[in-house]
Amino acid sequence: QVQLVESGGGLVQPGGSLRLSCAASGFSLDYYAVAWFRQAPGKEREGVACISSGDGSLYYEDSVKGRFAVSRDDAKNRVYLQMNVLKPEDTAVYYCAREPRDYGSGCQLEDYDMDLWGKGTLVTVSS
């Protein structure tokens, strides 16, 4: 079955860290860019970070630059989102999505280009 499954969410205090994992099954992630999105209660979904296939070039939304880091392990068919110095405003359901684009051609955070989504994992930042 072709799918993406996120894990690693949970409750964390402000200033804490979490690492989210996006596991692909039924296909190889090697040739896809992968993006992380989030949706907070009552807000629209927004792109957070993405990683290209091949050279692994990265892109981050301004509010998470310097705090979040996206990486990939194609041997394990997984992409990760390391989140540090978490803030209450980071509270959201986090989704990973794959983007079909030419190998090594970068990545972007527009959801209309994603062709497969996970079901999400909830991150709650609260004291």
Side-chain angles (χ1 to χ4, degrees):
Q1 183 178 3
V2 174
Q3 62 180 357
L4 294 170
V5 178
E6 303 91 340
S7 61
L11 173 64
V12 62
Q13 292 187 341
S17 298
L18 281 175
R19 188 175 81 152
L20 306 184
S21 177
C22 172
S25 60
F27 71 100
S28 175
L29 267 179
D30 295 31
Y31 297 97
Y32 291 91
V34 177
W36 287 94
F37 292 80
R38 66 185 179 187
Q39 187 165 22
K43 294 188 177 181
E44 293 188 355
R45 186 169 58 195
E46 63 172 350
V48 174
C50 64
I51 185 166
S52 173
S53 61
D55 65 355
S57 57
L58 310 171
Y59 182 81
Y60 296 96
E61 190 267 332
D62 286 346
S63 69
V64 306
K65 282 181 181 177
R67 300 190 299 123
F68 289 13
V70 59
S71 61
R72 65 190 300 152
D73 186 341
D74 289 337
K76 293 184 178 180
N77 226 22
R78 287 177 180 258
V79 171
Y80 304 96
L81 183 67
Q82 178 67 42
M83 306 187 296
N84 301 321
V85 195
L86 282 161
K87 305 175 181 180
E89 52 264 43
D90 294 318
T91 294
V93 178
Y94 283 73
Y95 303 88
C96 63
R98 77 177 189 186
E99 182 192 7
R101 56 191 295 146
D102 291 342
Y103 188 75
S105 65
C107 65
Q108 53 84 30
L109 296 177
E110 296 295 338
D111 57 6
Y112 53 76
D113 275 345
M114 308 299 153
D115 72 347
L116 180 68
W117 293 80
K119 294 182 178 180
T121 185
L122 176 62
V123 172
T124 303
V125 185
S126 175
S127 55

